[in-house]
Each structure stands twice: as C-alpha cells, then as structure tokens.
Amino acid sequence: MTATATTVLPARALLLDMDGTLVNSDAAVERVWRRWADRHGLDGDEVMKVVHGRQGYASMALLLPDRPMEQNYADNARMLAEETADTEGVVAIPGAPDFLASLHGLPHALVTSADVALSTARMAAAGLAQPDVRVTAESVGASKPDPEGFLKGAAELGIAPADCIAFEDSGAGITAARAAGMRVVGVGPRAGLHGPDVVVEDLTRVRVEADPDGTLRLHIG
C-alpha cells in the first residue's frame, strides 16, 4: 500500500539497501550497464529491467545464460571498477541524510549488493555517513534475491529477522527481504510493483522513535 495517512510499524532493527533507497545512482548505473549491453549486443532497456538490486554477476547470469560463470565473475570485477569510478550525478535520496542521522545509536545496518569500494564511493558522493554495520558483496555467497544478506545483517545486529524492517527499492531486494521473513518498506517508483508492506516516494516522510524497551516505532506518512 502507499503511505497516505500515517502508518506506524514497530521493529527492533532497520536494514537499509543503498542504491535506490538511500542513494540515487540511477544515472551512473544506466551509463555503465548500457555500455555493457552494447558490448554484448543486448537491448539496453531489457538489461535495465534486470540489473537493479542484484550483484552484477547474477544479472549477467540471467542475461547471458550460456556464458560460464567464471566470465561473469571477471566481467563483474571490471564493472564494479567502472561503477566505483563513475559518481557523476550520484546524490542522496530526498530525506536520507536526516533519516540516517536519526538512526544514530539505534540498531540498523546497510545491506547492499555493492562491494566495499563501490558502496563507500557512492555513500561519500551522496554525502551520507556509513552505518557501523555493513553487509556488502564481499560478505555473502549469494546475491539478492537470495535472503543471505538480510539474514546476515539481522544476525550481526543480534535481532530476529521477524523483528526487522527492510528498506528496499528493487524487486530482487524486496524478494530477498521477504524470504528472510522481514517486513518491507518500498522506496521509490520501482518498489510498488513488487508488493512491499508500504511504499514511500522517498525518505522525507519517514520518522523513527525509540521506546525505552528498545522498540523502534517507524512513522510513515
């Protein structure tokens, strides 16, 4: 559902995707992946329907199903280097700076398909502070839509998955959070297509309160 009147969701921790959720990196993603599509004779529009939320090698496996995975891993390493170097137009999602600042001292983690270098570059380009707990591409063996990243984030925070709320923008990310047993706040136009619990345009109307017993109350709307 789209948040209209204020919705209040209780949780004990928040798990935050990066691209499309905290950081608008769509322009950079489009540049890098459309060049890749051209190199492989693929339709750029069709490629862009697949790549959001996944690690690059996982997107490549879907788009080039007959190619050996070793080539996908090698190609992904090159793509990550290109993406890390291209931060033009990378900005914060509206409301993200204040939202992250409000989470200081509260249980939360970044759960991203980017690696350490790319996530560091994009968060810095957007002027956003990194959460203390970060689950990046190096931390997991399986890409979203596998739930491993979200489950690892919850475990590192010491919070049961059912007590976590994930913030996501992509179909792969929402599927991953659902598979981990979490409720999902969908952020932005892509999210509403994939059945999150609630959808927000951005983070400007999301507010967190902490009760004395450690319960977080997420006010949306």
Side-chain angles (χ1 to χ4, degrees):
M1 64 178 175
T2 301
T4 50
T6 300
T7 300
V8 180
L9 300 175
R12 298 194 73 83
L14 305 181
L15 301 181
L16 313 173
D17 175 51
M18 182 182 71
D19 291 305
T21 302
L22 297 174
V23 174
N24 182 346
S25 57
D26 280 3
V29 172
E30 289 254 351
R31 285 192 293 270
V32 170
W33 277 99
R34 285 187 183 275
R35 286 199 298 268
W36 183 88
D38 288 344
R39 289 198 295 269
H40 295 279
L42 298 174
D43 181 87
D45 291 340
E46 294 303 312
V47 167
M48 295 314 301
K49 292 177 183 178
V50 171
V51 301
H52 291 292
R54 292 181 171 85
Q55 291 190 44
Y57 74 84
S59 296
M60 293 170 191
L62 291 173
L63 293 161
L64 298 173
D66 297 326
R67 191 166 78 156
M69 281 302 294
E70 290 78 8
Q71 290 185 33
N72 294 336
Y73 288 126
D75 212 0
N76 184 48
R78 289 189 290 271
M79 292 282 284
L80 284 169
E82 284 187 53
E83 290 187 275
T84 301
D86 184 356
T87 56
E88 184 181 350
V90 173
V91 295
I93 293 290
D98 289 343
F99 178 61
L100 277 176
S102 76
L103 298 182
H104 182 71
L106 303 179
H108 68 289
L110 188 73
V111 181
T112 176
S113 292
D115 64 1
V116 169
L118 179 56
S119 60
T120 300
R122 284 189 175 160
M123 291 288 280
L128 298 176
Q130 293 265 19
D132 291 337
V133 177
R134 299 183 290 277
V135 179
T136 62
E138 297 93 338
S139 309
V140 298
S143 169
K144 299 172 185 178
D146 190 281
E148 181 185 357
F150 282 114
L151 292 172
K152 184 161 189 174
E156 291 198 19
L157 293 170
I159 304 295
D163 291 327
C164 296
I165 293 177
F167 283 67
E168 268 287 358
D169 73 300
S170 70
I174 291 168
T175 298
R178 287 276 192 216
M182 298 176 184
R183 290 155 294 154
V184 186
V185 174
V187 180
R190 284 189 292 267
L193 303 174
H194 303 286
D197 293 274
V198 63
V199 181
V200 294
E201 181 178 346
D202 54 38
L203 298 173
T204 56
R205 298 179 69 183
V206 180
R207 181 171 59 86
V208 178
E209 287 183 340
D211 290 347
D213 66 357
T215 299
L216 307 182
R217 299 199 178 277
L218 196 60
H219 297 257
I220 301 170

